[in-house]
Amino acid sequence: RVNRAAYRLFSKNKKQVASHLRTMRVHEAHIQALANYQPSLYEGKLTLVRAENPNDGFEFDSELGWGGLAVDGIEIHDVPGEHETIFHEPNVRVLAATMKACIEKAREAQT
């Protein structure tokens, strides 16, 4: 667990929290959310945007665990990069364009 006392001390004194403490805190939150989350069936189609080369050390199926959770299936979009590098140039441009196209498609479907 993240040294919560150190985290609180930095936060309380309004000092910048060391990046490794912030990263560890986020990681802890992800683990807690995963442990507590109970997915239910979604009455529609899911859109999954994933890295072409995840390279994150985890073995997932092609739908990254989302399979069977949507009545109308999953629409998958691969973007260049690895799990973390899709948020960095130049990959983030493809990610943004993909997400924008998906949002526009969803809006058109509503009208």
Side-chain angles (χ1 to χ4, degrees), residues 17-75:
V17 177
S19 65
H20 71 280
L21 285 176
R22 287 193 313 265
T23 301
M24 290 173 67
R25 252 326 250 240
V26 169
H27 181 68
E28 247 185 37
H30 287 162
I31 290 171
Q32 175 126 16
L34 182 61
N36 294 333
Y37 182 67
Q38 295 296 319
S40 59
L41 190 62
Y42 175 68
E43 298 290 331
K45 180 182 270 189
L46 290 176
T47 301
L48 173 62
V49 180
R50 65 183 185 190
E52 286 178 338
N53 306 306
N55 195 23
D56 58 7
F58 297 100
E59 297 296 325
F60 287 109
D61 62 83
S62 64
E63 294 173 333
L64 303 179
W66 293 100
L69 292 176
V71 171
D72 296 329
I74 300 176
E75 181 178 319

Side-chain angles (χ1 to χ4, degrees), residues 94-110:
V94 177
L95 174 62
T98 300
M99 292 181 74
K100 181 179 178 183
C102 290
I103 292 168
E104 289 172 358
K105 181 179 175 183
R107 285 184 177 153
E108 289 173 6
Q110 289 179 340

Side-chain angles (χ1 to χ4, degrees), residues 79-96:
V79 294
E82 297 177 354
H83 182 74
E84 294 295 328
T85 64
I86 63 173
F87 300 104
H88 302 282
E89 291 288 353
N91 303 334
V92 72
R93 291 176 191 262
V94 177
L95 174 62

